[in-house]
Amino acid sequence: MFASFATTPITPFVGADVEGLDLGLRPLNQTQIDDVLRALSMFGVLRFRRQQLDIELLKRLGSQFGQLHIHTGISGMAEHPEVTKIYSDENSRHVNGELWHSDLSCDEVPPLGSILHMMEVPTDGGGDTAFSSSYTAYERLSEPMKRYLEGLTATHDGGVAFSRFDPDRTYPRAVHPVVTHHPISGRKVLYVNRAFTSHINDIPPEEGAALLRFLCDHSERPEWSMRFRWEEDTVAFWDNRCVQHLAIWDYFPQRRLGYRVQIAGDRKPA
Ligand code: SIN
């Protein structure tokens, strides 16, 4: 299916393991980059095991797919503002991504994807990330519901996700269609999520709240979700245009450490 590597699906609807690509050895060639982008648009999230990366190599990897997107909700590392440190231990009171979300859907142009390199996993297990297919979520809606959603938009508000961490900061807000198309696959996507979507526009608030609750519950169903199991030196590359994810914090007070970059999108969700 791909010239540069082999893929094995993790579940029928979301995720694939990739073998045969060393992400840190040397810059990827154009065939490899195109294959990764195509695989992402098919599987939503790719898992690469046994990848030796440091922060510079992670940044180099990410920047081969586009400009690095500075996180608009939480601060990056002091020396590497494009890199988000994902860290928790016995002193943590929260972790990143505790609600289902598509990264920074509150931005006018959200990042097209994110790459997370896991350096340290909880020794007694736990710390999976759950991913769900927003393609399948759309496709499994009833036909009358699909017709109802056509043309609706929703507001995505960074304050919903981040203001509990820093209420004094201002966060981006953006309006996106409820149903979008993936620019590579052309498939339709259900594009609302629990962490960022504050309301559906232009319908009565009670109707919008009930609809949003239903669409979020539907997006998160286990039938089109999977648990991504990490090992040290595993890399996840996910496509924010067709999956949502959730960090499962079931390992407190153990430690977990990774570094993440976001790849800037090249267009508004449409
Ligand atoms: C996130 O990007 O939401 C964090 C994912 C994780 O830590 O598993």
PDB file of all heavy atoms in Angstrom, residues 190-202:
ATOM      1  N   LEU A 190     -17.015  14.286  11.442  1.00  0.00           N
ATOM      2  CA  LEU A 190     -17.821  14.972  12.467  1.00  0.00           C
ATOM      3  C   LEU A 190     -16.857  15.800  13.317  1.00  0.00           C
ATOM      4  O   LEU A 190     -16.009  15.243  14.028  1.00  0.00           O
ATOM      5  CB  LEU A 190     -18.558  13.935  13.306  1.00  0.00           C
ATOM      6  CG  LEU A 190     -19.470  14.480  14.398  1.00  0.00           C
ATOM      7  CD1 LEU A 190     -20.499  15.468  13.851  1.00  0.00           C
ATOM      8  CD2 LEU A 190     -20.183  13.325  15.110  1.00  0.00           C
ATOM      9  N   TYR A 191     -16.947  17.132  13.223  1.00  0.00           N
ATOM     10  CA  TYR A 191     -15.895  17.991  13.779  1.00  0.00           C
ATOM     11  C   TYR A 191     -16.417  18.842  14.942  1.00  0.00           C
ATOM     12  O   TYR A 191     -16.477  20.066  14.862  1.00  0.00           O
ATOM     13  CB  TYR A 191     -15.309  18.871  12.658  1.00  0.00           C
ATOM     14  CG  TYR A 191     -13.998  19.526  13.039  1.00  0.00           C
ATOM     15  CD1 TYR A 191     -12.842  18.771  13.206  1.00  0.00           C
ATOM     16  CD2 TYR A 191     -13.913  20.894  13.251  1.00  0.00           C
ATOM     17  CE1 TYR A 191     -11.647  19.365  13.572  1.00  0.00           C
ATOM     18  CE2 TYR A 191     -12.717  21.496  13.617  1.00  0.00           C
ATOM     19  CZ  TYR A 191     -11.588  20.719  13.776  1.00  0.00           C
ATOM     20  OH  TYR A 191     -10.398  21.306  14.134  1.00  0.00           O
ATOM     21  N   VAL A 192     -16.836  18.180  16.024  1.00  0.00           N
ATOM     22  CA  VAL A 192     -17.089  18.870  17.295  1.00  0.00           C
ATOM     23  C   VAL A 192     -16.441  18.011  18.378  1.00  0.00           C
ATOM     24  O   VAL A 192     -16.298  16.800  18.202  1.00  0.00           O
ATOM     25  CB  VAL A 192     -18.596  19.050  17.611  1.00  0.00           C
ATOM     26  CG1 VAL A 192     -19.255  20.022  16.658  1.00  0.00           C
ATOM     27  CG2 VAL A 192     -19.336  17.718  17.627  1.00  0.00           C
ATOM     28  N   ASN A 193     -16.052  18.634  19.472  1.00  0.00           N
ATOM     29  CA  ASN A 193     -15.436  17.834  20.538  1.00  0.00           C
ATOM     30  C   ASN A 193     -15.729  18.451  21.895  1.00  0.00           C
ATOM     31  O   ASN A 193     -16.016  19.641  22.022  1.00  0.00           O
ATOM     32  CB  ASN A 193     -13.938  17.673  20.291  1.00  0.00           C
ATOM     33  CG  ASN A 193     -13.178  18.980  20.362  1.00  0.00           C
ATOM     34  OD1 ASN A 193     -12.864  19.466  21.450  1.00  0.00           O
ATOM     35  ND2 ASN A 193     -12.895  19.581  19.203  1.00  0.00           N
ATOM     36  N   ARG A 194     -15.608  17.595  22.920  1.00  0.00           N
ATOM     37  CA  ARG A 194     -16.045  17.959  24.274  1.00  0.00           C
ATOM     38  C   ARG A 194     -15.176  19.044  24.914  1.00  0.00           C
ATOM     39  O   ARG A 194     -15.660  19.860  25.692  1.00  0.00           O
ATOM     40  CB  ARG A 194     -16.011  16.701  25.137  1.00  0.00           C
ATOM     41  CG  ARG A 194     -16.844  16.769  26.367  1.00  0.00           C
ATOM     42  CD  ARG A 194     -16.854  15.438  27.101  1.00  0.00           C
ATOM     43  NE  ARG A 194     -17.557  14.362  26.434  1.00  0.00           N
ATOM     44  CZ  ARG A 194     -18.884  14.205  26.442  1.00  0.00           C
ATOM     45  NH1 ARG A 194     -19.652  15.064  27.074  1.00  0.00           N
ATOM     46  NH2 ARG A 194     -19.456  13.192  25.816  1.00  0.00           N
ATOM     47  N   ALA A 195     -13.879  19.064  24.572  1.00  0.00           N
ATOM     48  CA  ALA A 195     -12.978  19.985  25.274  1.00  0.00           C
ATOM     49  C   ALA A 195     -13.113  21.423  24.770  1.00  0.00           C
ATOM     50  O   ALA A 195     -12.922  22.363  25.542  1.00  0.00           O
ATOM     51  CB  ALA A 195     -11.532  19.520  25.141  1.00  0.00           C
ATOM     52  N   PHE A 196     -13.384  21.603  23.478  1.00  0.00           N
ATOM     53  CA  PHE A 196     -13.331  22.957  22.906  1.00  0.00           C
ATOM     54  C   PHE A 196     -14.679  23.486  22.416  1.00  0.00           C
ATOM     55  O   PHE A 196     -14.871  24.707  22.375  1.00  0.00           O
ATOM     56  CB  PHE A 196     -12.358  22.999  21.717  1.00  0.00           C
ATOM     57  CG  PHE A 196     -10.919  22.859  22.107  1.00  0.00           C
ATOM     58  CD1 PHE A 196     -10.219  21.705  21.837  1.00  0.00           C
ATOM     59  CD2 PHE A 196     -10.258  23.892  22.762  1.00  0.00           C
ATOM     60  CE1 PHE A 196      -8.883  21.568  22.203  1.00  0.00           C
ATOM     61  CE2 PHE A 196      -8.930  23.775  23.135  1.00  0.00           C
ATOM     62  CZ  PHE A 196      -8.237  22.610  22.860  1.00  0.00           C
ATOM     63  N   THR A 197     -15.586  22.624  21.970  1.00  0.00           N
ATOM     64  CA  THR A 197     -16.799  23.148  21.324  1.00  0.00           C
ATOM     65  C   THR A 197     -17.739  23.666  22.400  1.00  0.00           C
ATOM     66  O   THR A 197     -18.207  22.908  23.254  1.00  0.00           O
ATOM     67  CB  THR A 197     -17.487  22.054  20.481  1.00  0.00           C
ATOM     68  OG1 THR A 197     -16.501  21.396  19.697  1.00  0.00           O
ATOM     69  CG2 THR A 197     -18.546  22.661  19.577  1.00  0.00           C
ATOM     70  N   SER A 198     -18.001  24.984  22.355  1.00  0.00           N
ATOM     71  CA  SER A 198     -18.844  25.581  23.401  1.00  0.00           C
ATOM     72  C   SER A 198     -20.317  25.506  23.029  1.00  0.00           C
ATOM     73  O   SER A 198     -21.154  25.279  23.891  1.00  0.00           O
ATOM     74  CB  SER A 198     -18.449  27.040  23.654  1.00  0.00           C
ATOM     75  OG  SER A 198     -18.554  27.774  22.454  1.00  0.00           O
ATOM     76  N   HIS A 199     -20.648  25.696  21.754  1.00  0.00           N
ATOM     77  CA  HIS A 199     -22.057  25.628  21.348  1.00  0.00           C
ATOM     78  C   HIS A 199     -22.195  25.508  19.831  1.00  0.00           C
ATOM     79  O   HIS A 199     -21.267  25.831  19.087  1.00  0.00           O
ATOM     80  CB  HIS A 199     -22.846  26.848  21.854  1.00  0.00           C
ATOM     81  CG  HIS A 199     -22.329  28.148  21.356  1.00  0.00           C
ATOM     82  ND1 HIS A 199     -21.236  28.787  21.889  1.00  0.00           N
ATOM     83  CD2 HIS A 199     -22.755  28.943  20.338  1.00  0.00           C
ATOM     84  CE1 HIS A 199     -21.005  29.924  21.242  1.00  0.00           C
ATOM     85  NE2 HIS A 199     -21.913  30.040  20.298  1.00  0.00           N
ATOM     86  N   ILE A 200     -23.364  25.043  19.438  1.00  0.00           N
ATOM     87  CA  ILE A 200     -23.738  24.998  18.015  1.00  0.00           C
ATOM     88  C   ILE A 200     -24.407  26.341  17.718  1.00  0.00           C
ATOM     89  O   ILE A 200     -25.236  26.811  18.509  1.00  0.00           O
ATOM     90  CB  ILE A 200     -24.742  23.861  17.737  1.00  0.00           C
ATOM     91  CG1 ILE A 200     -24.266  22.535  18.350  1.00  0.00           C
ATOM     92  CG2 ILE A 200     -25.046  23.741  16.248  1.00  0.00           C
ATOM     93  CD1 ILE A 200     -23.364  21.681  17.557  1.00  0.00           C
ATOM     94  N   ASN A 201     -24.046  26.940  16.601  1.00  0.00           N
ATOM     95  CA  ASN A 201     -24.555  28.281  16.287  1.00  0.00           C
ATOM     96  C   ASN A 201     -25.921  28.231  15.602  1.00  0.00           C
ATOM     97  O   ASN A 201     -26.250  27.253  14.917  1.00  0.00           O
ATOM     98  CB  ASN A 201     -23.558  29.000  15.366  1.00  0.00           C
ATOM     99  CG  ASN A 201     -22.198  29.123  16.029  1.00  0.00           C
ATOM    100  OD1 ASN A 201     -22.104  29.425  17.217  1.00  0.00           O
ATOM    101  ND2 ASN A 201     -21.150  28.848  15.273  1.00  0.00           N
ATOM    102  N   ASP A 202     -26.679  29.329  15.789  1.00  0.00           N
ATOM    103  CA  ASP A 202     -27.892  29.611  15.000  1.00  0.00           C
ATOM    104  C   ASP A 202     -29.036  28.629  15.204  1.00  0.00           C
ATOM    105  O   ASP A 202     -29.896  28.490  14.332  1.00  0.00           O
ATOM    106  CB  ASP A 202     -27.558  29.687  13.490  1.00  0.00           C
ATOM    107  CG  ASP A 202     -26.482  30.732  13.231  1.00  0.00           C
ATOM    108  OD1 ASP A 202     -26.520  31.786  13.896  1.00  0.00           O
ATOM    109  OD2 ASP A 202     -25.590  30.474  12.398  1.00  0.00           O
TER     110      ASP A 202
END
